[in-house]
Amino acid sequence: MSTKRNGFTLIELLVVISIIALLVGILLPALGAARRSALDIKCKNQLRQFGIAFMAYATDNRDTLPASLDDRNNEYYKTWLMAGSPPFQRFMRYCPDDGSIFSYVGDSRELYRCPALEEGATQSNGRPSNDGKGSNGKFDYSVFTSWNNAKVDQLPAQAVIARNGADASTYVDIITPLLIEEDPEFSSNNNSNYDSQHAWDDRVGQWHNGDRGNFTAYDGSTASFEGDGEQDNPEAQEWYAAAPNGLRRSLGNGKFGLNSNGSKVSIPGGTIEYDFGAWGSTKK
């Protein structure tokens, strides 16, 4: 007489659990990669909207881009992120709503945050930061100092990056960036301070697949900067493009440029910042 069995044996159950664990181990990396790819696409779409917003603003303002450097002599002068140069506490409260392009992006605070970087995290694998140098939770993008009130028709199509700051002759061509993801670990764009410009030793973030950081190009398209997985990536001052006078100038530091053979040179009378538009601005 046979006996009816109503369940799994222990061995069968262990086999099923092993198979499930194996499938999870196989699928999780793929699902993680798919999620990162989706966040990368969303980030690029947001940056594309910023590119459109910047050009729409320029259309309404004599073909001049928004300010990236606040006017310390004018309380009401707006940057793309904030009005004037207020105390840090006010910046924390009103950024980015008071910025000059907030209405051009549909009053959406969400667009200012990269979906692939959590608040308080730094660029490398989103690890948490205990020293305040993580995403400030307000914005993860920044604008090169050079484009402070620059005229749209003066923007060059190509730029170069010095991969090794100690030897500026080792540079590579890249489409000219406008607004870029900024690594909060190497800038004041973090929980300790707020900054509307990409300048000096600021660095591009690299938290997307392949150590890539996204940016909006001068023509409104989106592109990626391919990093090398290290934290000593090129600083903002090591990005260069041709100014209206034909000289290659640093996009993040008005003190520096490149001569004809690609070597880094100091600009006589140059300042760290560009004082409202070395690239053809009529605003002062």
Side-chain angles (χ1 to χ4, degrees), residues 55-74:
M55 294 308 166
Y57 173 93
T59 299
D60 293 340
N61 291 272
R62 298 180 294 172
D63 295 324
T64 302
L65 293 177
S68 60
L69 172 65
D70 56 59
D71 184 350
R72 291 161 177 80
N73 297 316
N74 186 344

Side-chain angles (χ1 to χ4, degrees), residues 38 40-50 111 222:
D40 180 53
I41 292 172
K42 184 177 180 180
C43 174
K44 287 181 177 177
N45 285 336
Q46 290 182 185
L47 284 168
R48 187 173 292 109
Q49 292 182 63
F50 270 110
L111 289 180
T222 59

Side-chain angles (χ1 to χ4, degrees), residues 161-171 203 232-235 237-240 256-258 261-265:
I161 309 173
R163 281 291 193 175
N164 182 354
D167 180 9
S169 64
T170 58
Y171 60 81
R203 307 182 190 188
D232 57 351
N233 297 308
E235 300 173 349
Q237 60 185 322
E238 304 298 352
W239 297 59
Y240 302 87
F256 302 123
L258 295 179
N261 64 12
S263 297
K264 188 174 183 178
V265 295

Side-chain angles (χ1 to χ4, degrees), residues 49-59 64-67 80 101 104-105 143 147 152 178-179:
Q49 292 182 63
F50 270 110
I52 295 171
F54 269 60
M55 294 308 166
Y57 173 93
T59 299
T64 302
L65 293 177
W80 71 283
I101 66 163
Y104 289 89
V105 294
V143 178
W147 310 142
V152 172
L178 176 62
L179 185 136

Side-chain angles (χ1 to χ4, degrees), residues 12-40:
E12 289 172 333
L13 185 60
L14 290 174
V15 169
V16 171
I17 292 174
S18 299
I19 292 174
I20 293 175
L22 178 63
L23 291 175
V24 169
I26 294 173
L27 293 176
L28 275 181
L31 291 174
R35 180 177 182 275
R36 289 192 297 272
S37 295
L39 293 176
D40 180 53

Side-chain angles (χ1 to χ4, degrees), residues 195-271:
D195 188 4
S196 56
Q197 57 186 322
H198 193 65
W200 198 242
D201 57 356
D202 295 343
R203 307 182 190 188
V204 59
Q206 292 178 235
W207 48 77
H208 295 288
N209 287 334
D211 297 321
R212 289 180 178 272
N214 297 327
F215 63 87
T216 300
Y218 81 103
D219 59 358
S221 65
T222 59
S224 296
F225 167 80
E226 184 176 0
D228 54 13
E230 301 295 334
Q231 293 185 347
D232 57 351
N233 297 308
E235 300 173 349
Q237 60 185 322
E238 304 298 352
W239 297 59
Y240 302 87
N245 61 7
L247 300 177
R248 279 180 173 172
R249 298 287 295 271
S250 167
L251 300 186
N253 189 335
K255 288 185 174 182
F256 302 123
L258 295 179
N259 62 20
S260 59
N261 64 12
S263 297
K264 188 174 183 178
V265 295
S266 296
I267 303 297
T271 60

